[in-house]
Amino acid sequence: MGRVSTAMHYAEQALRLAQMIGDADGEMSWLSELGTLCGLVGENDQALARFQQALALARGAASSPWHQETILGNLGNFYLTLGEIAEARKCFEEALPLAQEIQDRAGQCALTDGLATTYAETGDRLRAAELYQQALVLARQIPDRRREASLLSNLGTILLAMSDLESAIANQEQALTIFTNLDDLRSASMVLNALGNAYLAGGDLDQALTLYRRAVDVARESEDWRSEATGSWNLGMLLGQQGNFQDAVGFLRRAVAMEQIHGHSNAPVHAAVLNQVEALLEESSEA
């Protein structure tokens, strides 16, 4: 949080300077940047105001397709974090033709990725898969290996939901290879969790356990509490299903503790499940 606050301080100074010297491009860029930073610290009303100010400039006298595209993309991502999927989709759909007009391939890729996510969030898996595949082609053309890996993983998750287990695993394994080669441990940990989910869906419990354990180890190495909590929860639930309540409770407690410390929305529900598993452990110990 401290780093974001510091970044906001400098961004405010840069914005004032841009306004003072009449630098319209700089003003639009710093307004958009402040919108993103405000969103990171939960100042959502202020974030929206900054984005709207930036967009008004980009559409007005300082008309700039590139700025419009960039600001709309940032605003779309902001709406995604708020769960306002319809608003996010509007932003991405408005921005995409602008990116195509100025032949911004990286922008097209990011916007198509965001648009795919809106369809995934509303359950339109087929459309989401089509868009992720389109974005994947663009990522490979650029090339952008990190974006490619992220898209492969997103596509793998959608394909698993569509019961295409073989393709889901293949996509996640490709994503894992790329992230590992990039030494991106945090992303690799998330993919290991997703890959574990795919093997679990296919009934390979031993492989799922192995992958969840690897996910936890890699998350700890990269100090990524979210992925560690996810992996610990996955491990605990699977061990509990196998009747190993002793080990299950240890992993579930670890997951819930991290979620509570960081105020994760899953914490209350997971804490209730943990209580149930602890009761089962007590019953098994008394038997």
Side-chain angles (χ1 to χ4, degrees):
M1 190 71 74
R3 291 181 179 178
V4 177
S5 297
T6 300
M8 288 176 66
H9 173 72
Y10 285 113
E12 290 281 6
Q13 289 185 325
L15 173 61
R16 285 195 291 270
L17 179 59
Q19 291 170 331
M20 188 182 305
I21 64 176
D23 178 6
D25 286 346
E27 185 176 358
M28 288 183 283
S29 294
W30 287 114
L31 281 167
S32 183
E33 179 67 14
L34 279 165
T36 298
L37 292 170
C38 287
L40 289 175
V41 296
E43 297 179 4
N44 296 333
D45 290 342
Q46 185 68 8
L48 186 57
R50 293 298 196 181
F51 281 129
Q52 289 174 336
Q53 287 176 305
L55 197 54
L57 283 172
R59 287 171 169 164
S63 179
S64 165
W66 183 85
H67 279 293
Q68 287 184 60
E69 174 213 326
T70 303
I71 295 163
L72 283 164
N74 290 340
L75 181 56
N77 289 328
F78 171 68
Y79 277 128
L80 275 181
T81 64
L82 297 182
E84 297 185 23
I85 308 304
E87 292 300 321
R89 185 176 297 170
K90 288 179 184 177
C91 291
F92 295 136
E93 288 178 338
E94 183 179 348
L96 193 52
L98 295 169
Q100 292 167 339
E101 176 188 337
I102 61 176
Q103 299 182 357
D104 178 7
R105 191 170 293 173
Q108 291 178 56
C109 180
L111 292 165
T112 305
D113 185 1
L115 190 57
T117 300
T118 68
Y119 282 98
E121 289 291 329
T122 54
D124 191 342
R125 296 165 183 164
L126 183 59
R127 182 59 177 152
E130 291 172 348
L131 288 166
Y132 280 136
Q133 288 167 337
Q134 290 176 24
L136 185 58
V137 170
L138 289 166
R140 286 170 171 163
Q141 289 174 348
I142 293 170
D144 182 341
R145 295 289 279 167
R146 183 168 274 102
R147 175 78 68 175
E148 178 185 354
S150 176
L151 287 162
L152 283 164
S153 184
N154 290 342
L155 181 56
T157 299
I158 289 295
L159 291 171
L160 178 60
M162 296 172 69
S163 300
D164 188 348
L165 185 60
E166 184 177 350
S167 296
I169 289 174
N171 276 273
Q172 297 292 2
E173 287 180 338
Q174 288 181 64
L176 180 60
T177 297
I178 295 172
F179 280 134
T180 301
N181 290 339
L182 292 172
D183 200 28
D184 186 344
L185 297 182
R186 291 191 173 194
S187 298
S189 177
M190 290 188 288
V191 173
L192 283 165
N193 274 311
L195 197 51
N197 294 340
Y199 277 99
L200 179 61
D204 192 338
L205 306 189
D206 289 340
Q207 182 66 357
L209 280 172
T210 297
L211 289 163
Y212 290 147
R213 291 184 191 278
R214 284 179 61 194
V216 170
D217 290 342
V218 173
R220 286 174 178 167
E221 185 179 353
S222 64
E223 299 181 345
D224 182 359
W225 73 266
R226 288 181 179 82
S227 191
E228 183 182 350
T230 299
S232 296
W233 184 261
N234 290 338
L235 261 176
M237 291 299 291
L238 182 50
L239 289 166
Q241 291 169 19
Q242 294 178 324
N244 185 352
F245 300 121
Q246 184 70 51
D247 289 342
V249 164
F251 283 108
L252 295 178
R253 283 174 178 166
R254 176 67 177 161
V256 170
M258 286 185 284
E259 291 172 349
Q260 290 175 334
I261 289 171
H262 295 280
H264 195 283
S265 59
N266 286 341
V269 174
H270 284 177
V273 174
L274 172 59
N275 290 336
Q276 295 174 356
V277 178
E278 287 175 328
L280 291 171
L281 173 61
E282 186 175 345
E283 289 176 8
S284 66
S285 300
E286 294 173 351

